Amino acid sequence: MITSSMMISVIIIIMITALNMISKKSTYDREKSSPFECGFDPKNSSRLPFSLHFFLIAIIFAIFDVELTLFLPLVLLTKKLSSKKFLICISSFFIILLYGLIHEWKEGALNWVN
C-alpha cells in the first residue's frame, strides 16, 4: 500500500518536472499584451475608469437587500410567538438595520459627491 502510493508520487513528480522542462516558456512581449488598434499605437487608454464609490453603494444595497429577504420569514413567526416576543424580535431586527444605515451614513459611504 505504502510502496504503491510512493511509486505514484514519484511518477507524478517526474511527469511534472518533465512537463515543466518541455513546455514552451512564454516571455513578456509588449506588442502582444497591448491592445490592437489597426496597427497603430492606441491614442487613449483601453480601460475605462472604475468608480469605487459606485461599487461601495452597490455592495451596501446588496447587503440591505439580503437583510430584507431575512425580514420576510418573520411573518411566519406571528403564529408561533406571542405578540410581545414578536414585537421584540422585529424591533431588534430593525434596530440592527438602522444602526448599520446610520453607521454607513456617518462614514460618508452614502455621500455621492466627496
Side-chain angles (χ1 to χ4, degrees), residues 7 24 71 87 89 102 108:
M7 230 165 110
K24 180 180 176 184
F71 174 69
L87 185 63
C89 184
I102 291 170

Side-chain angles (χ1 to χ4, degrees), residues 2-107:
I2 293 175
T3 57
S4 63
S5 63
M6 286 180 61
M7 230 165 110
I8 292 172
S9 299
V10 168
I11 291 172
I12 289 174
I13 290 173
I14 290 171
M15 288 179 65
I16 289 174
T17 307
L19 287 175
N20 281 334
M21 287 180 184
I22 316 172
S23 69
K24 180 180 176 184
K25 304 286 189 235
S26 63
T27 58
Y28 180 75
D29 188 11
R30 187 180 86 73
E31 295 297 325
K32 287 186 178 180
S33 64
S34 66
F36 181 71
E37 192 173 312
C38 300
F40 299 103
D41 287 332
K43 294 179 181 177
N44 298 332
S45 175
S46 62
R47 305 264 186 231
L48 295 174
F50 179 72
S51 173
L52 188 62
H53 191 73
F54 179 76
F55 179 71
L56 183 63
I57 294 289
I59 292 296
I60 291 171
F61 173 76
I63 289 171
F64 280 104
D65 195 35
V66 168
E67 289 175 354
L68 185 63
T69 60
L70 293 175
F71 174 69
L72 293 175
L74 288 177
V75 175
L76 299 174
L77 289 177
T78 57
K79 297 176 184 174
K80 295 182 180 180
L81 294 177
S82 66
S83 61
K84 185 177 179 181
K85 289 181 181 180
F86 181 70
L87 185 63
I88 289 171
C89 184
I90 285 186
S91 59
S92 63
F93 186 77
F94 275 125
I95 287 171
I96 291 170
L97 272 179
L98 202 62
Y99 176 73
L101 181 65
I102 291 170
H103 176 72
E104 292 298 328
W105 193 353
K106 285 186 178 183
E107 288 290 320

